[in-house]
Amino acid sequence: MRGQPAEGAILMKKKYDDFEGLFHLQRKMQQLIHDDEDFLAQAAVGWLPMADIFETEKAYIIMLEVPGVRREAIELEAEGQDLRIRGTKKQMADSTCLNYHQMEREYGEFRRVFRFDVPVDPAGVDAKLKNGVLTIRVAKKKRFIRVGGAEK
């Protein structure tokens, strides 16, 4: 039969070029859509660092991948229920005279906004940059509820 491989023939899979760029774009789009309230603001910046967010008994922890970003180039702002992080990753100084064969690393300005269920107290926010990971600890506030009314 025409179009059918002969019995016992070895089928060769077509070797595809690098799909990594496509998968990276898909991840970025999913993140942008997930953070829909800040979609346009984040889409306007250069790149979007990956983040892990988890919760302990006393704090929320955000771990943001920012390799190559200097401590001085990062700003944090706590306002209302939002924690805003922005910064800049600069390209190599002599990159204009280089003849690139491939360029996958991202440069430029980044911005992330994380919204919590309760207001963020700026005094309860602590950030450390180590090995290209920005770890931000947002302390939880204890809420004491006063019970009113007279006892009988």
Side-chain angles (χ1 to χ4, degrees):
M1 289 183 138
R2 281 191 174 236
Q4 298 291 329
E7 189 173 319
I10 298 173
L11 296 176
M12 299 294 291
K13 291 185 178 181
K14 183 176 179 183
K15 189 173 185 175
Y16 291 98
D17 291 336
D18 183 21
F19 272 116
E20 189 60 35
L22 183 59
F23 294 138
H24 177 72
L25 178 62
Q26 179 187 14
R27 283 192 304 271
K28 284 183 79 167
M29 290 301 297
Q30 287 172 340
Q31 285 178 330
L32 289 171
I33 292 167
H34 176 72
D35 299 331
D36 62 351
E37 291 179 15
D38 297 297
F39 178 78
L40 293 176
Q42 290 184 10
V45 297
W47 62 289
L48 190 69
M50 301 290 176
D52 289 341
I53 305 169
F54 57 94
E55 181 177 0
T56 66
E57 186 178 320
K58 296 182 179 182
Y60 297 99
I61 310 293
I62 301 169
M63 297 180 76
L64 199 68
E65 289 185 353
V66 290
V69 178
R70 299 177 53 91
R71 182 176 280 115
E72 305 83 39
I74 300 172
E75 296 176 12
L76 276 78
E77 179 184 6
E79 182 180 18
Q81 293 176 253
D82 295 342
L83 178 66
R84 292 184 184 89
I85 305 161
R86 63 181 90 157
T88 304
K89 180 178 176 182
K90 294 190 178 190
Q91 206 165 4
M92 296 184 314
D94 60 351
S95 65
T96 57
C97 64
L98 298 176
N99 185 14
Y100 280 99
H101 291 261
Q102 188 163 334
M103 200 168 173
E104 295 182 348
R105 298 180 340 170
E106 297 177 289
Y107 298 96
E109 188 178 328
F110 68 87
R111 179 179 141 173
R112 292 294 305 260
V113 178
F114 299 96
R115 178 159 289 155
F116 297 93
D117 294 334
V118 295
V120 176
D121 179 9
V125 177
D126 179 53
K128 291 183 171 60
L129 180 63
K130 184 176 178 182
N131 297 329
V133 177
L134 178 64
T135 303
I136 305 162
R137 184 181 178 279
V138 180
K140 292 181 181 179
K141 284 186 177 182
K142 290 185 178 180
R143 291 188 179 187
F144 294 98
I145 301 170
R146 184 179 172 130
V147 179
E151 288 187 30
K152 291 187 180 183

